[in-house]
């Protein structure tokens, strides 16, 4: 049977999005997430060694972010998307079969490398495949739903980790995590990709990086879109690690803390699902979204009440939505042959800015309550909103 021309793109888009949502869910469906710090402590590692493992993980991501993005523009992006989970699976297997500081360190390097391979490659593949089907306008909605699928994967892993740990201990949790990574890799092979060879023809890895950076220097719109990604993503990406501490400062029972944290992440999931309709906001609307979310964060955190935690959830939903929209603006402005490279450059900026936000939080948190630190760190979003408004006015 011959499909009509109008149905071919729809069928292709459905295959792409179904694969993407499954990949996103499984990639974050890792039962080790909520318990790996306990594994390290139960193995006998002191706090400084555990902290050094987290630092090694971050350092690996920073060092490999851009090189892996450039690689994704010179080879098959689909290939990198299934290699990455296999590296992560190998790291998790090491953790539970030979638990030791050395094994944990190697595992974090493998996990960081696996994550870096997918960063940039996934966004580039999805955008270009949608574009080939004349559906690039759906990118915001599709990626918003993909982020929601990731959050659902995280929530599911949080819910299952406890029972599985009680049933089979760390080997069972680790085995389930390895299995999830293997299934993720299998799903990645289903991604459609017409581009199997370099599209840019700029002299391989070094040439692709050079031309990508030249595009950033020479195009003000690209440069602004690239800088907007870390400006939106970094601070709230750091603050989310401290939400349990913010909740506990309310004086609620320890047993209530996870439920209030889940309330915040339910709001974040809702924010992801609004990405499609919100793409119509434009620059002024994005500035208003950031300003409104910043005010909700400051008021909610400073109030130190349960109702305030609801406002923090609303703020995080706004930041998540703005993060998707910032990625959309970047993808619309960059060339296909350098898409993964520049997406990874933006991700590198986010990683570095997030590390800086952790440092600022640690500095402020020595003398101030968590609610006060949250409120102070809402200020960068007001600055970003003002910069967006000024940039729009200057273009008139």
């Amino acid at each position: 049977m011959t499909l009509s021309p109008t149905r071919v793109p729809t069928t292709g888009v459905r295959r792409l999005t179904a694969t993407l949502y499954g990949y996103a869910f499984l990639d974050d469906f890792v039962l080790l997430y909520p318990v790996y710090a306990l594994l390290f402590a139960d193995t006998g590692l002191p706090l400084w060694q555990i902290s050094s493992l987290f630092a090694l993980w971050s350092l690996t991501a920073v060092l490999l972010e851009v090189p892996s993005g450039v690689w994704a523009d010179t080879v098959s992006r689909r290939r990198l998307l299934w290699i990455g989970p296999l590296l992560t699976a190998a790291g998790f297997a090491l953790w539970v079969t030979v638990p030791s500081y050395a094994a944990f360190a190697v595992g974090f390097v493998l996990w960081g490398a696996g994550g870096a391979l997918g960063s940039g490659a996934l966004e580039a593949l999805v955008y270009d495949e949608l574009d080939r089907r004349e559906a690039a306008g759906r990118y915001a909605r599709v990626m918003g739903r993909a982020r929601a699928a990731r959050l659902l994967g995280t929530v599911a892993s949080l819910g299952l980790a406890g029972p599985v740990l009680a049933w089979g201990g760390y080997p069972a949790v680790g085995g389930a995590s390895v299995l999830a990574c293997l299934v993720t890799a299998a799903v990645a092979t289903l991604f459609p990709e017409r581009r199997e060879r370099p599209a840019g023809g700029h002299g391989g890895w070094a040439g692709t990086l050079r031309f990508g950076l030249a595009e950033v220097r020479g195009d003000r719109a690209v440069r602004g879109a690239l800088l907007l990604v870390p400006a939106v993503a970094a601070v709230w990406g750091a603050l989310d690690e401290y939400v349990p501490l913010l909740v506990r400062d309310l004086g609620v029972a320890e047993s209530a803390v996870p439920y209030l944290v889940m309330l915040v992440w339910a709001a974040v999931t809702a924010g992801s699902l609004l990405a499609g309709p919100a793409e119509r906001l434009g620059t002024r609307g994005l500035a208003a979204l950031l300003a409104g979310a910043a005010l909700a964060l400051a008021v909610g955190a400073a109030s130190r009440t349960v109702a305030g935690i609801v406002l923090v959830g609303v703020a995080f939903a706004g930041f998540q939505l703005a993060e998707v929209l910032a990625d959309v603006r970047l993808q619309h402005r960059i060339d296909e042959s350098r898409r993964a490279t520049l997406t990874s450059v933006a991700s590198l900026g986010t990683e570095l800015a997030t590390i800086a936000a952790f440092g600022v939080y640690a500095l402020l948190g020595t003398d101030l309550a968590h609610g006060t630190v949250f409120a102070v760190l809402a200020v960068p979003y007001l600055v970003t909103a003002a910069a967006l408004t000024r940039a729009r006015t200057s273009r008139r």
Side-chain angles (χ1 to χ4, degrees):
M1 180 180 69
T2 302
L3 294 175
S4 66
T6 57
R7 289 188 62 189
V8 173
T10 301
T11 302
V13 169
R14 285 177 179 171
R15 176 192 169 190
L16 172 65
T17 54
T19 304
L20 172 65
Y21 301 152
Y23 180 90
F25 176 87
L26 290 166
D27 199 36
D28 273 21
F29 182 64
V30 177
L31 271 61
L32 273 169
Y33 279 167
V35 300
Y36 61 71
L38 301 179
L39 169 62
F40 303 157
D42 290 346
T43 304
L45 270 60
L47 182 60
W48 72 267
Q49 285 190 322
I50 295 176
S51 298
S52 70
L53 290 173
F54 294 153
L56 179 62
W57 189 19
S58 298
L59 181 61
T60 301
V62 167
L63 292 178
L64 296 181
E65 184 68 55
V66 173
S68 65
V70 179
W71 194 20
D73 279 333
T74 57
V75 300
S76 166
R77 293 162 180 164
R78 178 173 57 200
R79 185 183 309 157
L80 300 187
L81 291 176
W82 63 256
I83 291 175
L86 295 182
L87 294 178
T88 304
F92 291 160
L94 277 175
W95 285 5
V96 294
T97 55
V98 285
S100 62
Y101 181 79
F104 297 147
V106 173
F108 266 128
V109 170
L110 290 171
W111 192 1
L117 289 181
S119 177
L122 181 64
E123 293 86 349
L125 183 148
V126 171
Y127 188 94
D128 286 343
E129 291 303 314
L130 286 173
D131 193 33
R132 289 188 180 89
R133 292 164 176 78
E134 299 181 355
R138 302 188 192 183
Y139 179 78
R141 180 168 67 247
V142 167
M143 292 307 292
R145 290 176 177 176
R147 289 177 185 244
R150 285 190 179 277
L151 291 168
L152 291 174
T154 300
V155 171
S157 67
L158 290 171
L160 289 175
V164 174
L165 182 65
W167 170 71
Y170 293 118
V173 173
S177 301
V178 170
L179 179 60
C181 291
L182 295 178
V183 177
T184 305
V187 170
T189 65
L190 301 178
F191 275 114
E193 185 185 26
R194 298 182 193 177
R195 172 194 171 277
E196 295 290 346
R197 294 184 178 276
H202 296 314
W205 190 94
T208 299
L209 178 59
R210 184 171 62 253
F211 276 82
L213 295 178
E215 184 177 356
V216 174
R217 290 192 300 268
D219 191 324
R220 183 178 179 182
V222 171
R223 185 166 61 251
L226 190 148
L227 292 174
L228 180 62
V229 173
V232 170
V235 174
W236 89 274
L239 288 179
D240 69 19
E241 301 291 342
Y242 299 97
V243 170
L245 299 177
L246 176 70
V247 172
R248 191 170 63 180
D249 268 7
L250 302 181
V252 299
E254 290 286 332
S255 59
V257 172
Y259 297 106
L260 290 174
V261 173
M262 287 185 69
L263 177 64
V264 172
W265 285 105
V268 174
T269 303
S272 297
L273 295 175
L274 294 174
E279 191 176 6
R280 305 187 188 96
L281 287 176
T283 301
R284 177 183 291 177
L286 181 57
L289 174 64
L290 286 173
L295 292 175
L297 177 65
V299 173
S303 70
R304 301 181 187 178
T305 63
V306 172
I309 296 301
V310 175
L311 274 181
V312 171
V314 171
F316 276 23
F319 295 142
Q320 170 77 315
L321 176 56
E323 185 177 340
V324 176
L325 296 180
D327 174 54
V328 172
R329 290 164 70 94
L330 177 62
Q331 301 303 330
H332 283 335
R333 286 165 172 76
I334 53 182
D335 183 77
E336 174 186 349
S337 64
R338 297 178 286 275
R339 190 175 305 283
T341 299
L342 295 186
T343 302
S344 289
V345 170
S347 296
L348 173 62
T350 300
E351 291 281 355
L352 294 174
T354 301
I355 292 172
F358 281 134
V360 171
Y361 197 105
L363 182 65
L364 296 176
T366 55
D367 298 315
L368 302 177
H370 290 289
T372 304
V373 179
F374 269 65
V376 170
L377 289 178
V379 173
Y381 287 108
L382 294 175
V383 174
T384 300
L388 282 171
T389 303
R390 186 167 58 240
R392 185 181 184 279
T393 303
S394 66
R395 286 197 298 268
R396 289 181 174 180

